[in-house]
mmCIF file of all heavy atoms in Angstrom:
data_model
loop_
_atom_site.group_PDB
_atom_site.id
_atom_site.type_symbol
_atom_site.label_atom_id
_atom_site.label_comp_id
_atom_site.label_asym_id
_atom_site.label_seq_id
_atom_site.Cartn_x
_atom_site.Cartn_y
_atom_site.Cartn_z
ATOM 1 N N LEU A 125 86.265 93.185 108.608
ATOM 2 C CA LEU A 125 87.729 93.127 108.635
ATOM 3 C C LEU A 125 88.275 93.024 110.055
ATOM 4 O O LEU A 125 89.222 92.273 110.317
ATOM 5 C CB LEU A 125 88.318 94.375 107.953
ATOM 6 C CG LEU A 125 88.419 94.356 106.429
ATOM 7 C CD1 LEU A 125 88.902 95.698 105.939
ATOM 8 C CD2 LEU A 125 89.371 93.263 105.970
ATOM 9 N N PHE A 126 87.694 93.805 110.990
ATOM 10 C CA PHE A 126 88.291 93.935 112.309
ATOM 11 C C PHE A 126 87.599 93.048 113.351
ATOM 12 O O PHE A 126 87.809 93.227 114.551
ATOM 13 C CB PHE A 126 88.252 95.396 112.752
ATOM 14 C CG PHE A 126 89.001 96.307 111.823
ATOM 15 C CD1 PHE A 126 88.324 97.054 110.860
ATOM 16 C CD2 PHE A 126 90.375 96.395 111.882
ATOM 17 C CE1 PHE A 126 89.004 97.884 109.999
ATOM 18 C CE2 PHE A 126 91.074 97.227 111.014
ATOM 19 C CZ PHE A 126 90.391 97.960 110.064
ATOM 20 N N GLY A 127 86.739 92.112 112.902
ATOM 21 C CA GLY A 127 86.134 91.156 113.828
ATOM 22 C C GLY A 127 87.071 89.991 114.089
ATOM 23 O O GLY A 127 87.837 89.563 113.214
ATOM 24 N N ALA A 128 87.022 89.456 115.312
ATOM 25 C CA ALA A 128 87.897 88.323 115.660
ATOM 26 C C ALA A 128 87.506 87.093 114.839
ATOM 27 O O ALA A 128 86.313 86.770 114.706
ATOM 28 C CB ALA A 128 87.807 88.021 117.151
ATOM 29 N N PHE A 129 88.490 86.445 114.261
ATOM 30 C CA PHE A 129 88.345 85.222 113.467
ATOM 31 C C PHE A 129 87.530 85.438 112.189
ATOM 32 O O PHE A 129 86.985 84.495 111.640
ATOM 33 C CB PHE A 129 87.704 84.101 114.310
ATOM 34 C CG PHE A 129 88.404 83.855 115.610
ATOM 35 C CD1 PHE A 129 87.789 84.162 116.809
ATOM 36 C CD2 PHE A 129 89.695 83.342 115.639
ATOM 37 C CE1 PHE A 129 88.424 83.954 118.012
ATOM 38 C CE2 PHE A 129 90.335 83.126 116.845
ATOM 39 C CZ PHE A 129 89.711 83.435 118.038
ATOM 40 N N GLN A 130 87.445 86.702 111.749
ATOM 41 C CA GLN A 130 86.767 86.994 110.485
ATOM 42 C C GLN A 130 87.818 87.021 109.373
ATOM 43 O O GLN A 130 88.804 87.750 109.458
ATOM 44 C CB GLN A 130 86.048 88.354 110.561
ATOM 45 C CG GLN A 130 84.934 88.410 111.573
ATOM 46 C CD GLN A 130 83.731 87.601 111.147
ATOM 47 O OE1 GLN A 130 83.527 87.365 109.952
ATOM 48 N NE2 GLN A 130 82.939 87.133 112.107
ATOM 49 N N ARG A 131 87.603 86.230 108.325
ATOM 50 C CA ARG A 131 88.561 86.157 107.230
ATOM 51 C C ARG A 131 87.837 86.419 105.913
ATOM 52 O O ARG A 131 86.723 85.920 105.695
ATOM 53 C CB ARG A 131 89.213 84.768 107.174
ATOM 54 C CG ARG A 131 90.045 84.409 108.395
ATOM 55 C CD ARG A 131 90.594 83.005 108.278
ATOM 56 N NE ARG A 131 91.301 82.775 107.041
ATOM 57 C CZ ARG A 131 92.584 83.061 106.828
ATOM 58 N NH1 ARG A 131 93.303 83.554 107.804
ATOM 59 N NH2 ARG A 131 93.145 82.845 105.664
ATOM 60 N N LEU A 132 88.458 87.218 105.034
ATOM 61 C CA LEU A 132 87.903 87.488 103.710
ATOM 62 C C LEU A 132 88.580 86.644 102.638
ATOM 63 O O LEU A 132 88.200 86.701 101.471
ATOM 64 C CB LEU A 132 88.041 88.980 103.375
ATOM 65 C CG LEU A 132 87.351 89.964 104.333
ATOM 66 C CD1 LEU A 132 87.471 91.393 103.803
ATOM 67 C CD2 LEU A 132 85.900 89.595 104.537
ATOM 68 N N HIS A 133 89.622 85.903 103.017
ATOM 69 C CA HIS A 133 90.319 85.013 102.085
ATOM 70 C C HIS A 133 90.420 83.623 102.726
ATOM 71 O O HIS A 133 90.581 83.502 103.953
ATOM 72 C CB HIS A 133 91.723 85.539 101.762
ATOM 73 C CG HIS A 133 91.719 86.886 101.117
ATOM 74 N ND1 HIS A 133 91.555 87.078 99.767
ATOM 75 C CD2 HIS A 133 91.852 88.122 101.652
ATOM 76 C CE1 HIS A 133 91.591 88.353 99.498
ATOM 77 N NE2 HIS A 133 91.765 89.024 100.629
ATOM 78 N N SER A 134 90.367 82.577 101.933
ATOM 79 C CA SER A 134 90.414 81.211 102.443
ATOM 80 C C SER A 134 91.827 80.891 102.935
ATOM 81 O O SER A 134 92.814 81.484 102.480
ATOM 82 C CB SER A 134 90.016 80.228 101.336
ATOM 83 O OG SER A 134 90.966 80.263 100.276
ATOM 84 N N PRO A 135 91.940 79.927 103.889
ATOM 85 C CA PRO A 135 93.279 79.533 104.386
ATOM 86 C C PRO A 135 94.167 78.989 103.284
ATOM 87 O O PRO A 135 95.392 79.046 103.388
ATOM 88 C CB PRO A 135 92.956 78.462 105.441
ATOM 89 C CG PRO A 135 91.538 78.734 105.854
ATOM 90 C CD PRO A 135 90.851 79.240 104.633
ATOM 91 N N GLN A 136 93.575 78.404 102.216
ATOM 92 C CA GLN A 136 94.394 77.885 101.123
ATOM 93 C C GLN A 136 95.083 79.028 100.372
ATOM 94 O O GLN A 136 96.185 78.861 99.837
ATOM 95 C CB GLN A 136 93.527 77.063 100.158
ATOM 96 C CG GLN A 136 93.062 75.732 100.716
ATOM 97 C CD GLN A 136 91.936 75.877 101.733
ATOM 98 O OE1 GLN A 136 91.270 76.907 101.746
ATOM 99 N NE2 GLN A 136 91.754 74.866 102.584
ATOM 100 N N GLU A 137 94.407 80.216 100.323
ATOM 101 C CA GLU A 137 95.017 81.367 99.638
ATOM 102 C C GLU A 137 96.080 82.025 100.514
ATOM 103 O O GLU A 137 97.225 82.214 100.080
ATOM 104 C CB GLU A 137 93.939 82.387 99.283
ATOM 105 C CG GLU A 137 93.001 81.963 98.181
ATOM 106 C CD GLU A 137 92.021 83.071 97.839
ATOM 107 O OE1 GLU A 137 91.141 83.359 98.666
ATOM 108 O OE2 GLU A 137 92.178 83.655 96.749
ATOM 109 N N PHE A 138 95.678 82.383 101.726
ATOM 110 C CA PHE A 138 96.599 83.059 102.648
ATOM 111 C C PHE A 138 96.361 82.499 104.036
ATOM 112 O O PHE A 138 95.212 82.457 104.517
ATOM 113 C CB PHE A 138 96.361 84.581 102.652
ATOM 114 C CG PHE A 138 96.575 85.238 101.325
ATOM 115 C CD1 PHE A 138 95.482 85.537 100.512
ATOM 116 C CD2 PHE A 138 97.847 85.556 100.884
ATOM 117 C CE1 PHE A 138 95.671 86.145 99.289
ATOM 118 C CE2 PHE A 138 98.038 86.161 99.658
ATOM 119 C CZ PHE A 138 96.952 86.450 98.857
ATOM 120 N N GLU A 139 97.439 82.097 104.714
ATOM 121 C CA GLU A 139 97.322 81.520 106.048
ATOM 122 C C GLU A 139 97.050 82.629 107.062
ATOM 123 O O GLU A 139 97.242 83.816 106.802
ATOM 124 C CB GLU A 139 98.617 80.790 106.407
ATOM 125 C CG GLU A 139 99.834 81.712 106.433
ATOM 126 C CD GLU A 139 101.104 80.976 106.800
ATOM 127 O OE1 GLU A 139 101.066 79.729 106.883
ATOM 128 O OE2 GLU A 139 102.127 81.640 106.995
ATOM 129 N N GLY A 140 96.613 82.229 108.250
ATOM 130 C CA GLY A 140 96.362 83.188 109.312
ATOM 131 C C GLY A 140 95.164 82.780 110.138
ATOM 132 O O GLY A 140 94.340 81.951 109.722
ATOM 133 N N SER A 141 95.055 83.406 111.361
ATOM 134 C CA SER A 141 93.981 83.046 112.289
ATOM 135 C C SER A 141 92.811 84.012 112.240
ATOM 136 O O SER A 141 91.754 83.733 112.803
ATOM 137 C CB SER A 141 94.528 82.998 113.716
ATOM 138 O OG SER A 141 95.032 84.276 114.091
ATOM 139 N N GLY A 142 92.970 85.190 111.621
ATOM 140 C CA GLY A 142 91.887 86.164 111.555
ATOM 141 C C GLY A 142 91.767 87.024 112.804
ATOM 142 O O GLY A 142 90.719 87.630 113.044
ATOM 143 N N VAL A 143 92.818 87.065 113.632
ATOM 144 C CA VAL A 143 92.768 87.840 114.882
ATOM 145 C C VAL A 143 93.643 89.092 114.800
ATOM 146 O O VAL A 143 93.494 90.018 115.579
ATOM 147 C CB VAL A 143 93.202 86.952 116.076
ATOM 148 C CG1 VAL A 143 93.123 87.711 117.385
ATOM 149 C CG2 VAL A 143 92.325 85.729 116.149
ATOM 150 N N GLY A 144 94.555 89.150 113.840
ATOM 151 C CA GLY A 144 95.534 90.253 113.787
ATOM 152 C C GLY A 144 94.883 91.619 113.713
ATOM 153 O O GLY A 144 95.228 92.546 114.467
ATOM 154 N N LEU A 145 93.900 91.801 112.799
ATOM 155 C CA LEU A 145 93.265 93.118 112.668
ATOM 156 C C LEU A 145 92.390 93.434 113.875
ATOM 157 O O LEU A 145 92.205 94.605 114.236
ATOM 158 C CB LEU A 145 92.444 93.176 111.374
ATOM 159 C CG LEU A 145 93.261 93.170 110.084
ATOM 160 C CD1 LEU A 145 92.353 93.232 108.870
ATOM 161 C CD2 LEU A 145 94.234 94.352 110.053
ATOM 162 N N ALA A 146 91.819 92.391 114.530
ATOM 163 C CA ALA A 146 91.065 92.631 115.761
ATOM 164 C C ALA A 146 91.988 93.167 116.844
ATOM 165 O O ALA A 146 91.615 94.059 117.631
ATOM 166 C CB ALA A 146 90.381 91.345 116.212
ATOM 167 N N ILE A 147 93.219 92.651 116.916
ATOM 168 C CA ILE A 147 94.207 93.158 117.876
ATOM 169 C C ILE A 147 94.549 94.607 117.543
ATOM 170 O O ILE A 147 94.644 95.461 118.433
ATOM 171 C CB ILE A 147 95.462 92.268 117.860
ATOM 172 C CG1 ILE A 147 95.126 90.876 118.418
ATOM 173 C CG2 ILE A 147 96.596 92.912 118.631
ATOM 174 C CD1 ILE A 147 96.265 89.877 118.337
ATOM 175 N N VAL A 148 94.718 94.915 116.246
ATOM 176 C CA VAL A 148 95.032 96.297 115.850
ATOM 177 C C VAL A 148 93.911 97.239 116.288
ATOM 178 O O VAL A 148 94.163 98.310 116.857
ATOM 179 C CB VAL A 148 95.219 96.380 114.316
ATOM 180 C CG1 VAL A 148 95.324 97.829 113.880
ATOM 181 C CG2 VAL A 148 96.464 95.622 113.911
ATOM 182 N N GLN A 149 92.663 96.834 116.033
ATOM 183 C CA GLN A 149 91.545 97.714 116.419
ATOM 184 C C GLN A 149 91.487 97.901 117.929
ATOM 185 O O GLN A 149 91.246 99.019 118.423
ATOM 186 C CB GLN A 149 90.230 97.116 115.915
ATOM 187 C CG GLN A 149 89.029 98.024 116.159
ATOM 188 C CD GLN A 149 87.738 97.390 115.733
ATOM 189 O OE1 GLN A 149 87.458 96.253 116.113
ATOM 190 N NE2 GLN A 149 86.952 98.096 114.930
ATOM 191 N N ARG A 150 91.713 96.802 118.692
ATOM 192 C CA ARG A 150 91.670 96.913 120.147
ATOM 193 C C ARG A 150 92.765 97.868 120.651
ATOM 194 O O ARG A 150 92.521 98.692 121.541
ATOM 195 C CB ARG A 150 91.858 95.517 120.758
ATOM 196 C CG ARG A 150 91.552 95.430 122.244
ATOM 197 C CD ARG A 150 90.064 95.572 122.528
ATOM 198 N NE ARG A 150 89.286 94.573 121.828
ATOM 199 C CZ ARG A 150 89.041 93.335 122.273
ATOM 200 N NH1 ARG A 150 89.540 92.970 123.438
ATOM 201 N NH2 ARG A 150 88.307 92.504 121.586
ATOM 202 N N ILE A 151 93.964 97.798 120.076
ATOM 203 C CA ILE A 151 95.062 98.677 120.509
ATOM 204 C C ILE A 151 94.754 100.139 120.166
ATOM 205 O O ILE A 151 94.943 101.045 120.983
ATOM 206 C CB ILE A 151 96.383 98.221 119.858
ATOM 207 C CG1 ILE A 151 96.806 96.874 120.428
ATOM 208 C CG2 ILE A 151 97.479 99.265 120.079
ATOM 209 C CD1 ILE A 151 98.001 96.261 119.717
ATOM 210 N N VAL A 152 94.259 100.390 118.943
ATOM 211 C CA VAL A 152 93.947 101.769 118.542
ATOM 212 C C VAL A 152 92.828 102.334 119.400
ATOM 213 O O VAL A 152 92.857 103.499 119.819
ATOM 214 C CB VAL A 152 93.578 101.812 117.041
ATOM 215 C CG1 VAL A 152 93.079 103.199 116.662
ATOM 216 C CG2 VAL A 152 94.781 101.450 116.193
ATOM 217 N N ASN A 153 91.815 101.497 119.722
ATOM 218 C CA ASN A 153 90.727 101.966 120.582
ATOM 219 C C ASN A 153 91.237 102.306 121.980
ATOM 220 O O ASN A 153 90.761 103.259 122.606
ATOM 221 C CB ASN A 153 89.629 100.903 120.668
ATOM 222 C CG ASN A 153 88.856 100.772 119.375
ATOM 223 O OD1 ASN A 153 88.902 101.663 118.522
ATOM 224 N ND2 ASN A 153 88.155 99.667 119.194
ATOM 225 N N ARG A 154 92.194 101.502 122.478
ATOM 226 C CA ARG A 154 92.765 101.796 123.803
ATOM 227 C C ARG A 154 93.490 103.134 123.806
ATOM 228 O O ARG A 154 93.661 103.755 124.848
ATOM 229 C CB ARG A 154 93.749 100.687 124.220
ATOM 230 C CG ARG A 154 93.116 99.345 124.526
ATOM 231 C CD ARG A 154 92.171 99.398 125.722
ATOM 232 N NE ARG A 154 92.763 99.953 126.902
ATOM 233 C CZ ARG A 154 93.529 99.289 127.759
ATOM 234 N NH1 ARG A 154 93.793 98.000 127.546
ATOM 235 N NH2 ARG A 154 94.013 99.884 128.838
ATOM 236 N N HIS A 155 93.929 103.601 122.633
ATOM 237 C CA HIS A 155 94.587 104.910 122.501
ATOM 238 C C HIS A 155 93.588 106.007 122.128
ATOM 239 O O HIS A 155 93.999 107.097 121.714
ATOM 240 C CB HIS A 155 95.690 104.849 121.445
ATOM 241 C CG HIS A 155 96.919 104.128 121.895
ATOM 242 N ND1 HIS A 155 96.999 102.749 121.927
ATOM 243 C CD2 HIS A 155 98.130 104.589 122.337
ATOM 244 C CE1 HIS A 155 98.192 102.390 122.360
ATOM 245 N NE2 HIS A 155 98.904 103.478 122.622
ATOM 246 N N SER A 156 92.281 105.721 122.232
ATOM 247 C CA SER A 156 91.214 106.686 121.897
ATOM 248 C C SER A 156 91.264 107.094 120.427
ATOM 249 O O SER A 156 90.880 108.202 120.066
ATOM 250 C CB SER A 156 91.325 107.946 122.785
ATOM 251 O OG SER A 156 91.225 107.612 124.142
ATOM 252 N N GLY A 157 91.750 106.198 119.574
ATOM 253 C CA GLY A 157 91.796 106.481 118.142
ATOM 254 C C GLY A 157 90.787 105.634 117.387
ATOM 255 O O GLY A 157 89.898 104.998 117.975
ATOM 256 N N ARG A 158 90.903 105.631 116.087
ATOM 257 C CA ARG A 158 90.039 104.791 115.267
ATOM 258 C C ARG A 158 90.852 104.234 114.101
ATOM 259 O O ARG A 158 91.873 104.806 113.707
ATOM 260 C CB ARG A 158 88.831 105.577 114.743
ATOM 261 C CG ARG A 158 89.156 106.665 113.743
ATOM 262 C CD ARG A 158 87.898 107.474 113.427
ATOM 263 N NE ARG A 158 88.146 108.472 112.379
ATOM 264 C CZ ARG A 158 87.830 108.299 111.102
ATOM 265 N NH1 ARG A 158 87.255 107.170 110.710
ATOM 266 N NH2 ARG A 158 88.060 109.245 110.199
ATOM 267 N N VAL A 159 90.395 103.112 113.561
ATOM 268 C CA VAL A 159 91.087 102.451 112.462
ATOM 269 C C VAL A 159 90.046 102.078 111.417
ATOM 270 O O VAL A 159 88.925 101.692 111.746
ATOM 271 C CB VAL A 159 91.856 101.205 112.970
ATOM 272 C CG1 VAL A 159 90.930 100.200 113.613
ATOM 273 C CG2 VAL A 159 92.627 100.549 111.824
ATOM 274 N N TRP A 160 90.402 102.247 110.150
ATOM 275 C CA TRP A 160 89.517 101.887 109.048
ATOM 276 C C TRP A 160 90.368 101.525 107.836
ATOM 277 O O TRP A 160 91.578 101.752 107.829
ATOM 278 C CB TRP A 160 88.545 103.018 108.718
ATOM 279 C CG TRP A 160 89.152 104.224 108.094
ATOM 280 C CD1 TRP A 160 89.186 104.544 106.790
ATOM 281 C CD2 TRP A 160 89.842 105.290 108.781
ATOM 282 N NE1 TRP A 160 89.831 105.733 106.590
ATOM 283 C CE2 TRP A 160 90.249 106.209 107.788
ATOM 284 C CE3 TRP A 160 90.163 105.545 110.114
ATOM 285 C CZ2 TRP A 160 90.935 107.359 108.098
ATOM 286 C CZ3 TRP A 160 90.859 106.702 110.418
ATOM 287 C CH2 TRP A 160 91.236 107.593 109.416
ATOM 288 N N ALA A 161 89.713 100.961 106.833
ATOM 289 C CA ALA A 161 90.460 100.472 105.669
ATOM 290 C C ALA A 161 89.713 100.811 104.389
ATOM 291 O O ALA A 161 88.488 100.952 104.374
ATOM 292 C CB ALA A 161 90.673 98.961 105.764
ATOM 293 N N LYS A 162 90.481 100.953 103.307
ATOM 294 C CA LYS A 162 89.940 101.154 101.969
ATOM 295 C C LYS A 162 90.691 100.217 101.025
ATOM 296 O O LYS A 162 91.905 100.028 101.186
ATOM 297 C CB LYS A 162 90.108 102.605 101.498
ATOM 298 C CG LYS A 162 89.306 103.616 102.295
ATOM 299 C CD LYS A 162 89.510 105.023 101.757
ATOM 300 C CE LYS A 162 88.698 106.033 102.546
ATOM 301 N NZ LYS A 162 88.893 107.410 102.030
ATOM 302 N N GLY A 163 89.992 99.680 100.069
ATOM 303 C CA GLY A 163 90.665 98.786 99.134
ATOM 304 C C GLY A 163 89.735 98.323 98.025
ATOM 305 O O GLY A 163 88.553 98.668 97.990
ATOM 306 N N ALA A 164 90.282 97.547 97.133
ATOM 307 C CA ALA A 164 89.517 96.951 96.044
ATOM 308 C C ALA A 164 90.132 95.592 95.754
ATOM 309 O O ALA A 164 91.351 95.381 95.937
ATOM 310 C CB ALA A 164 89.540 97.832 94.810
ATOM 311 N N LEU A 165 89.316 94.665 95.313
ATOM 312 C CA LEU A 165 89.774 93.309 95.081
ATOM 313 C C LEU A 165 90.870 93.291 94.007
ATOM 314 O O LEU A 165 90.715 93.873 92.927
ATOM 315 C CB LEU A 165 88.589 92.429 94.651
ATOM 316 C CG LEU A 165 88.775 90.911 94.824
ATOM 317 C CD1 LEU A 165 89.041 90.576 96.288
ATOM 318 C CD2 LEU A 165 87.533 90.185 94.326
#
């Protein structure tokens, strides 16, 4: 989820570059925090 340009959905389903969550993880790490996700299809 948090890798740069990693996408779990095709561009035809949902648009995007796959960098947004990588930016979130980088910002949280800079604050000495951690980020994780839970979900189901």
Side-chain angles (χ1 to χ4, degrees):
L125 277 175
F126 300 99
F129 307 112
Q130 296 289 336
R131 296 177 53 85
L132 301 185
H133 299 276
S134 64
Q136 289 75 20
E137 289 183 290
F138 299 99
E139 61 180 8
S141 61
V143 182
L145 291 180
I147 293 175
V148 171
Q149 185 183 50
R150 192 70 57 86
I151 292 173
V152 173
N153 289 343
R154 291 297 307 278
H155 286 79
S156 301
R158 67 187 185 99
V159 60
W160 70 99
K162 294 181 180 180
L165 200 59

